[in-house]
Amino acid sequence: MKGVIADCFCELVKKKFGEDKLEQIKQSAGVDKNKRFLATENVPDSAVLEMVGCACDTLGISLEDAADAFGEYWVNVYAPRLYSVYYKGVNSSRDFLLRMDEVHTKTAKNLSDAKPPHFKYRWSDDNTLVITYISERGLIDFAVGLIKGVGKYYDEDLSVKKLSDTEIEVVFPST
Protein backbone atom coordinates (compact mmCIF):
# COMPACT_ATOMS: atom_id res chain seq x y z
CA MET A 1 0.00 0.00 0.00
CA LYS A 2 1.27 3.46 -0.74
CA GLY A 3 2.37 5.63 2.17
CA VAL A 4 -0.17 8.28 1.20
CA ILE A 5 -2.90 6.05 2.68
CA ALA A 6 -1.05 5.57 5.96
CA ASP A 7 -0.19 9.27 6.11
CA CYS A 8 -3.83 10.26 5.64
CA PHE A 9 -4.90 7.78 8.32
CA CYS A 10 -2.35 9.18 10.79
CA GLU A 11 -3.34 12.77 10.00
CA LEU A 12 -7.01 11.91 10.55
CA VAL A 13 -6.34 10.28 13.93
CA LYS A 14 -4.11 13.16 15.05
CA LYS A 15 -6.63 15.85 14.05
CA LYS A 16 -9.72 14.09 15.39
CA PHE A 17 -8.31 12.40 18.51
CA GLY A 18 -4.96 14.01 19.27
CA GLU A 19 -1.25 13.27 19.03
CA ASP A 20 -1.31 11.10 22.16
CA LYS A 21 -3.91 8.73 20.67
CA LEU A 22 -1.94 8.51 17.43
CA GLU A 23 1.23 7.64 19.35
CA GLN A 24 -0.67 5.04 21.38
CA ILE A 25 -2.09 3.48 18.21
CA LYS A 26 1.30 3.41 16.49
CA GLN A 27 2.92 1.86 19.56
CA SER A 28 0.21 -0.81 19.79
CA ALA A 29 0.72 -1.56 16.10
CA GLY A 30 4.50 -1.83 16.47
CA VAL A 31 5.17 1.35 14.47
CA ASP A 32 7.72 3.90 15.69
CA LYS A 33 5.77 6.83 17.14
CA ASN A 34 7.96 9.24 15.14
CA LYS A 35 7.44 7.43 11.84
CA ARG A 36 6.21 9.71 9.05
CA PHE A 37 4.90 7.96 5.98
CA LEU A 38 6.04 9.31 2.63
CA ALA A 39 3.36 9.45 -0.05
CA THR A 40 5.14 7.23 -2.57
CA GLU A 41 6.79 4.75 -0.20
CA ASN A 42 5.53 1.19 -0.13
CA VAL A 43 4.07 0.26 3.24
CA PRO A 44 3.08 -3.35 3.94
CA ASP A 45 -0.70 -3.73 3.90
CA SER A 46 -0.40 -5.61 7.18
CA ALA A 47 1.20 -2.59 8.90
CA VAL A 48 -1.57 -0.22 7.84
CA LEU A 49 -4.29 -2.72 8.69
CA GLU A 50 -2.67 -3.33 12.09
CA MET A 51 -2.80 0.41 12.78
CA VAL A 52 -6.46 0.48 11.76
CA GLY A 53 -7.22 -2.46 14.06
CA CYS A 54 -5.36 -0.82 16.95
CA ALA A 55 -7.23 2.43 16.28
CA CYS A 56 -10.55 0.58 16.51
CA ASP A 57 -9.49 -0.96 19.84
CA THR A 58 -8.00 2.26 21.25
CA LEU A 59 -10.84 4.51 20.16
CA GLY A 60 -13.64 2.02 20.82
CA ILE A 61 -14.99 2.15 17.27
CA SER A 62 -15.97 -0.48 14.73
CA LEU A 63 -14.11 -1.17 11.49
CA GLU A 64 -17.09 0.28 9.63
CA ASP A 65 -16.82 3.50 11.69
CA ALA A 66 -13.08 3.67 10.96
CA ALA A 67 -13.67 3.08 7.24
CA ASP A 68 -16.37 5.75 7.12
CA ALA A 69 -14.19 8.27 8.98
CA PHE A 70 -11.26 7.54 6.68
CA GLY A 71 -13.42 7.84 3.57
CA GLU A 72 -14.89 11.15 4.65
CA TYR A 73 -11.49 12.58 5.58
CA TRP A 74 -9.74 11.32 2.45
CA VAL A 75 -12.35 12.67 0.02
CA ASN A 76 -13.15 15.94 1.79
CA VAL A 77 -9.84 17.02 3.34
CA TYR A 78 -6.78 15.04 2.29
CA ALA A 79 -7.23 14.18 -1.39
CA PRO A 80 -8.35 17.67 -2.49
CA ARG A 81 -4.96 18.98 -1.32
CA LEU A 82 -2.92 16.33 -3.16
CA TYR A 83 -5.13 15.37 -6.06
CA SER A 84 -7.08 18.55 -6.87
CA VAL A 85 -6.73 17.85 -10.58
CA TYR A 86 -9.13 14.90 -10.23
CA TYR A 87 -11.79 17.15 -8.71
CA LYS A 88 -11.67 19.77 -11.47
CA GLY A 89 -14.63 19.77 -13.83
CA VAL A 90 -16.53 17.23 -11.75
CA ASN A 91 -19.80 18.54 -10.36
CA SER A 92 -21.56 15.51 -8.90
CA SER A 93 -21.02 12.28 -7.01
CA ARG A 94 -22.18 10.35 -10.05
CA ASP A 95 -19.53 11.88 -12.30
CA PHE A 96 -16.81 11.55 -9.66
CA LEU A 97 -17.49 7.87 -8.96
CA LEU A 98 -17.70 6.97 -12.64
CA ARG A 99 -14.18 8.38 -13.13
CA MET A 100 -12.54 6.44 -10.30
CA ASP A 101 -11.45 3.43 -12.30
CA GLU A 102 -9.79 5.70 -14.85
CA VAL A 103 -8.13 7.72 -12.06
CA HIS A 104 -6.80 4.55 -10.44
CA THR A 105 -5.49 3.28 -13.79
CA LYS A 106 -3.59 6.55 -14.31
CA THR A 107 -2.30 6.49 -10.73
CA ALA A 108 -0.96 2.97 -11.16
CA LYS A 109 0.96 4.07 -14.26
CA ASN A 110 2.51 7.03 -12.44
CA LEU A 111 3.49 5.30 -9.19
CA SER A 112 5.71 2.26 -9.21
CA ASP A 113 4.25 -0.75 -7.42
CA ALA A 114 0.85 0.95 -6.94
CA LYS A 115 -1.99 -1.56 -6.83
CA PRO A 116 -5.14 0.51 -6.43
CA PRO A 117 -8.53 -1.16 -6.68
CA HIS A 118 -10.42 -1.19 -9.93
CA PHE A 119 -14.12 -0.83 -10.50
CA LYS A 120 -16.75 -2.04 -12.94
CA TYR A 121 -20.07 -0.28 -13.17
CA ARG A 122 -23.60 -1.52 -13.86
CA TRP A 123 -26.77 0.55 -13.72
CA SER A 124 -29.79 -1.27 -12.30
CA ASP A 125 -32.00 1.78 -12.96
CA ASP A 126 -31.52 5.48 -13.74
CA ASN A 127 -30.40 6.33 -10.19
CA THR A 128 -28.92 3.04 -8.95
CA LEU A 129 -25.33 2.12 -9.71
CA VAL A 130 -23.82 -1.20 -8.71
CA ILE A 131 -20.05 -0.93 -8.41
CA THR A 132 -17.96 -4.07 -8.54
CA TYR A 133 -14.88 -3.63 -6.37
CA ILE A 134 -11.84 -5.47 -7.74
CA SER A 135 -8.86 -5.75 -5.41
CA GLU A 136 -6.71 -8.45 -3.86
CA ARG A 137 -6.81 -6.48 -0.59
CA GLY A 138 -10.48 -7.06 0.18
CA LEU A 139 -10.98 -3.60 1.69
CA ILE A 140 -14.52 -3.10 0.42
CA ASP A 141 -15.57 -1.48 3.72
CA PHE A 142 -13.12 1.33 2.95
CA ALA A 143 -14.53 1.63 -0.58
CA VAL A 144 -17.99 2.05 1.01
CA GLY A 145 -16.62 4.74 3.35
CA LEU A 146 -14.96 6.56 0.47
CA ILE A 147 -18.19 6.53 -1.56
CA LYS A 148 -20.07 7.97 1.43
CA GLY A 149 -17.35 10.64 1.60
CA VAL A 150 -17.95 11.50 -2.05
CA GLY A 151 -21.62 12.06 -1.27
CA LYS A 152 -20.67 14.46 1.53
CA TYR A 153 -18.19 16.29 -0.70
CA TYR A 154 -20.88 16.98 -3.30
CA ASP A 155 -23.56 17.52 -0.63
CA GLU A 156 -25.67 14.74 -2.08
CA ASP A 157 -27.71 12.30 -0.05
CA LEU A 158 -26.38 9.01 -1.39
CA SER A 159 -27.65 5.67 -0.20
CA VAL A 160 -24.58 3.42 -0.07
CA LYS A 161 -24.98 -0.27 0.69
CA LYS A 162 -22.46 -3.11 0.65
CA LEU A 163 -24.15 -5.95 -1.22
CA SER A 164 -21.31 -8.47 -0.94
CA ASP A 165 -17.54 -8.62 -0.56
CA THR A 166 -17.25 -7.33 -4.12
CA GLU A 167 -20.36 -5.23 -4.81
CA ILE A 168 -21.62 -1.86 -3.58
CA GLU A 169 -24.98 -0.33 -4.43
CA VAL A 170 -25.13 3.46 -4.73
CA VAL A 171 -28.49 5.15 -5.08
CA PHE A 172 -28.20 8.75 -6.25
CA PRO A 173 -30.81 11.38 -5.47
CA SER A 174 -33.45 11.75 -8.16
CA THR A 175 -32.70 14.53 -10.58
Side-chain angles (χ1 to χ4, degrees), residues 16 31 36 57-58 75 79 86 123 138 145 153 156-157 161:
K16 298 281 183 180
V31 175
R36 292 275 307 162
D57 293 343
T58 300
V75 173
Y86 296 122
W123 291 96
Y153 184 86
E156 295 176 1
D157 187 22
K161 180 179 170 186

Side-chain angles (χ1 to χ4, degrees), residues 60-70:
I61 61 174
S62 68
L63 178 60
E64 182 180 323
D65 291 338
D68 286 353
F70 178 84

Side-chain angles (χ1 to χ4, degrees), residues 17-30:
F17 302 100
E19 180 77 36
D20 58 325
K21 289 291 184 191
L22 176 59
E23 287 179 7
Q24 185 180 347
I25 290 163
K26 283 181 170 179
Q27 182 179 9
S28 295

Side-chain angles (χ1 to χ4, degrees), residues 85-113:
V85 67
Y86 296 122
Y87 288 76
K88 288 186 176 153
V90 181
N91 300 310
S92 70
S93 297
R94 180 185 303 242
D95 292 342
F96 191 91
L97 292 172
L98 290 171
R99 292 181 62 198
M100 280 301 91
D101 191 64
E102 178 185 338
V103 167
H104 283 166
T105 298
K106 286 179 182 176
T107 301
K109 287 180 183 176
N110 294 331
L111 287 172
S112 66
D113 299 325

Side-chain angles (χ1 to χ4, degrees), residues 9 25 28-29 46-63 66 142:
F9 176 77
I25 290 163
S28 295
S46 58
V48 177
L49 295 175
E50 183 67 23
M51 283 196 312
V52 170
C54 290
C56 290
D57 293 343
T58 300
L59 303 172
I61 61 174
S62 68
L63 178 60
F142 285 87

